[in-house]
Amino acid sequence: FASAVVCGGLLARAGSDEQRRRWLSSVASGDVVVVPAWLEPDNSCRPTGVQMRAEPDGAGLRLSGVKRHVPFASSASALVVLARTGDGDEDVDLFVVDPAASGVTPRQQHTVAADSQYEVRFDAVAVSAEDRIGPAGSGWRALDDVMNDGCILLAAQAMGGAQQAL
């Protein structure tokens, strides 16, 4: 779900032609896993809760902050990271980040469900303009649209399971 529906949906909806060419068929086939890194410690699930910064650095940007509940971060081929690019409520962008990049540090979190979730620290991680998904300032809208579609898919799955059980 995290790779095929959320990240695949983000790349299909907002990604550049190059990003779609590079990632979508491999995500669909399961050859790569691309996971979202959007939740932060002690912050809400709204655009104002995104506090991780993407600061300009030459022709690119540097990401600094912490994301939590990142599924499968240790085996991901890429992370789709939500970061703040300005001070406005929705000045938030999405970036494709290599989990092996310098400054990316995943740490497994132990959960009640015993699933594979990680806290991921980003310490001045370099990203280029080509790593941005969609135009500047469009990240939150793209994520919100894809998450709404995902909720419908999860509800359909739950209804099918309930129907089968009953």
Side-chain angles (χ1 to χ4, degrees):
F1 181 83
S3 185
V5 173
V6 176
C7 291
L10 286 167
L11 290 162
R13 182 180 301 260
S16 66
D17 290 341
E18 172 61 22
Q19 288 168 336
R20 287 193 295 271
R21 185 197 61 73
R22 179 172 181 203
W23 294 107
L24 288 181
S25 64
S26 296
V27 167
S29 69
D31 290 335
V32 301
V33 174
V34 180
V35 297
W38 65 286
L39 293 171
E40 297 185 12
D42 305 321
N43 288 323
S44 74
C45 295
R46 302 299 315 147
T48 54
V50 178
Q51 298 302 308
M52 177 183 207
R53 301 298 299 193
E55 298 291 344
D57 182 43
L61 298 121
R62 296 258 176 201
L63 304 178
S64 295
V66 176
K67 298 295 183 177
R68 296 189 79 188
H69 306 292
V70 180
F72 311 107
S74 69
S75 58
S77 305
L79 306 171
V80 172
V81 180
L82 200 62
R84 180 156 296 287
T85 53
D87 295 327
D89 286 354
E90 293 195 20
D91 289 340
V92 174
D93 290 314
L94 293 160
F95 300 92
V96 177
V97 177
D98 181 347
S102 178
V104 177
T105 308
R107 185 171 63 95
Q108 188 166 12
Q109 303 292 284
H110 299 287
T111 67
V112 173
D115 56 346
S116 181
Q117 291 189 24
Y118 290 78
E119 174 185 271
V120 182
R121 294 189 175 279
F122 298 82
D123 184 22
V125 176
V127 292
S128 70
E130 292 79 31
D131 296 323
R132 185 189 312 256
I133 299 172
S138 69
W140 184 263
R141 285 185 305 277
L143 178 67
D144 193 49
D145 289 346
V146 167
M147 294 299 275
N148 285 330
D149 291 346
C151 287
I152 293 166
L153 290 171
L154 286 176
Q157 180 184 20
M159 290 299 297
Q163 184 178 22
Q164 183 65 33
L166 296 175

